[in-house]
Amino acid sequence: DVCSSDLKIIYQLGVVDIMNKKKVTIKDVAKAAGVSVTTVSQSLNGNGSRFSPRTIKRIQRAKEKLGYEPDYFAQRMIMKKSKMIGVLVPDITNPFFNSLVRGIENVLYQYDFMTMLCNADMDQGKEDRYLTELTHRGVDGFIIASSSISNEAIQKILRGEKFPFIVLDQKKSEGISDAVLTDDFSGGQQAAQHLWDLGHRQVAVVMPENATENIQNRLRGFQTVFGEDEIVRVDAELSKKSGRKAAQAVINSPATAIFAVNDQIALGLYLGLADQGCRIPEDYSVIGYDNIDMCEYVVPQLTTIAQPIFELGQTTAKMLIDRIEKPNKQWEEELLPVQLVKRFSTARLN
Ligand code: RIB
């Protein structure tokens, strides 16, 4: 039996004597490589740019030969770094966020960071709790794509503790952090121009009643092409289920074309319109937004506005890592372009 005072001694000595197996320590690696403990520690933590390639190789070899595994808990205490990033997304069931997180993870992995993914379910309480808990667990920074969290909470929880963070997509930056945006205004404009060029003059825009800023920008762009009396607003959440329900309101309107502010809504509309015996694009032209991969796997394939989703994740992760390395630099904002992808769900009005 190991009582708590024994455990204390075990931790203090950095030795595990269970089964008589001596734990390899950083000292052993330093000794085998013929360098100091500090040199080993800095090199293994990615801060070894000033050491020669030979020294770095010697350390790597000694580490591998001895089977040394850094104690992340101790490392975190000493270096005040966990090599973990908290990522908050509003809805993990939406494929948009799958691709986004893949992009984020792709970069974090290259820089040796772990991705801690939190699905906030568009619930402010959950988002606050995740932020607080992750700060207690010592993450090195945050990527926030979720909008329910208030800027007050961000200020209190993250700014108070000086945690690096970056916002994107549904979360507006409001000048309190770095941000990566996609050109939502242009996306809305391109969608509208496409429908206009096909001869449509009455359009339904299907979007949430209390839309986040990025979605509102899509509408603003759309309104530069269609006037108020040519647009019918139909309320729907950003989900397939909600899109399906919205079909009835569209059918009751004079619209001949539909702009769904995300692909999930558009895919829901496919089913909702079919439920009522309506065909796409013969009865209704439908254009979505995002370009998730499902767009290519439905009939007819969905015309949409493509966001560079994977690249958005990559850019965001790179910018956060840069912020962690240079905490005092000016806030940065990057705007990525979007583009129309013409497929078969839109057609000329006869
Ligand atoms: O599909 C999810 C939607 O929420 C996307 O359009 C994305 O931009 C986010 O706002």
Side-chain angles (χ1 to χ4, degrees):
D1 276 14
V2 185
C3 69
S4 69
S5 60
D6 292 334
L7 272 176
K8 226 187 218 162
I9 292 165
I10 288 168
Y11 280 124
Q12 279 167 2
L13 294 176
V15 167
V16 175
D17 58 4
I18 295 163
M19 292 162 59
N20 285 333
K21 198 159 181 259
K22 197 169 171 250
K23 187 176 177 192
V24 178
T25 68
I26 195 164
K27 280 187 193 162
D28 300 322
V29 180
K31 200 169 161 199
V35 296
S36 71
V37 168
T38 316
T39 306
V40 176
S41 154
Q42 292 186 347
S43 162
L44 294 183
N45 282 302
N47 303 323
S49 49
R50 65 175 190 281
F51 305 127
S52 72
R54 221 173 124 233
T55 305
I56 293 174
K57 211 172 195 179
R58 274 219 314 270
I59 294 169
Q60 271 305 331
R61 249 197 240 129
K63 173 182 177 263
E64 278 156 28
K65 199 165 154 214
L66 296 171
Y68 172 69
E69 281 306 330
D71 180 336
Y72 286 103
F73 182 70
Q75 221 175 41
R76 203 173 81 195
M77 305 283 286
I78 298 161
M79 312 270 304
K80 305 248 182 298
K81 276 187 189 164
S82 61
K83 291 294 238 177
M84 284 192 294
I85 299 293
V87 178
L88 257 79
V89 299
D91 175 14
I92 199 62
T93 65
N94 182 335
F96 171 89
F97 293 104
N98 300 164
S99 304
L100 181 76
V101 173
R102 271 193 59 234
I104 293 173
E105 187 260 354
N106 168 273
V107 167
L108 293 185
Y109 181 78
Q110 287 170 39
Y111 285 83
D112 232 3
F113 280 88
M114 295 292 291
T115 305
M116 299 265 295
L117 178 62
C118 300
N119 171 44
D121 269 339
M122 294 177 255
D123 171 341
Q124 183 166 354
K126 228 175 146 185
E127 291 188 8
D128 281 11
R129 172 111 191 266
Y130 273 138
L131 276 193
T132 313
E133 280 298 319
L134 288 173
T135 55
H136 294 163
R137 281 157 217 246
V139 296
D140 293 332
F142 290 88
I143 293 176
I144 305 173
S146 195
S147 66
S148 309
I149 183 108
S150 64
N151 282 350
E152 292 71 47
I154 289 188
Q155 290 281 21
K156 196 168 140 225
I157 303 169
L158 300 185
R159 278 270 154 269
E161 301 283 336
K162 296 205 168 31
F163 273 97
F165 69 95
I166 182 163
V167 299
L168 75 152
D169 195 53
Q170 297 189 3
K171 184 66 197 153
K172 202 176 158 194
S173 101
E174 287 168 344
I176 59 166
S177 71
D178 298 313
V180 185
L181 314 164
T182 57
D183 200 341
D184 291 292
F185 186 86
S186 156
Q189 208 164 32
Q190 291 181 52
Q193 194 59 54
H194 176 61
L195 296 177
W196 181 272
D197 293 344
L198 291 172
H200 296 279
R201 296 295 179 263
Q202 288 292 323
V203 202
V205 177
V206 187
M207 62 183 281
E209 191 181 358
N210 297 310
T212 48
E213 188 64 17
N214 60 337
I215 305 273
Q216 286 188 40
N217 278 335
R218 291 172 202 174
L219 176 64
R220 287 184 195 116
F222 200 87
Q223 286 167 331
T224 60
V225 177
F226 285 94
E228 270 310 297
D229 53 347
E230 294 165 323
I231 297 176
V232 182
R233 277 274 304 263
V234 174
D235 295 342
E237 295 311 312
L238 298 171
S239 70
K240 294 195 281 296
K241 197 170 171 189
S242 203
R244 182 181 185 182
K245 264 202 205 141
Q248 188 60 60
V250 174
I251 292 169
N252 294 342
S253 80
T256 58
I258 310 169
F259 173 39
V261 295
N262 82 346
D263 291 339
Q264 293 285 84
I265 294 180
L267 296 177
L269 281 164
Y270 269 48
L271 191 55
L273 291 172
D275 288 342
Q276 309 289 327
C278 300
R279 294 158 308 156
I280 301 170
E282 293 84 349
D283 301 319
Y284 290 97
S285 279
V286 178
I287 182 166
Y289 204 103
D290 284 346
N291 199 28
I292 55 174
D293 71 350
M294 273 297 286
C295 298
E296 286 192 89
Y297 293 88
V298 287
V299 182
Q301 292 182 324
L302 179 65
T303 296
T304 194
I305 301 295
Q307 299 205 64
I309 313 176
F310 188 76
E311 190 193 338
L312 173 64
Q314 286 181 310
T315 311
T316 308
K318 277 189 203 137
M319 211 186 262
L320 179 66
I321 288 173
D322 203 45
R323 166 67 53 199
I324 291 171
E325 282 166 5
K326 299 174 215 142
N328 298 321
K329 70 179 173 122
Q330 290 284 308
W331 296 134
E332 271 180 30
E333 220 170 83
E334 196 165 327
L335 182 69
L336 304 180
V338 298
Q339 69 181 48
L340 171 68
V341 178
K342 286 187 199 168
R343 295 199 181 94
F344 303 101
S345 61
T346 48
R348 178 156 294 285
L349 183 68
N350 291 316

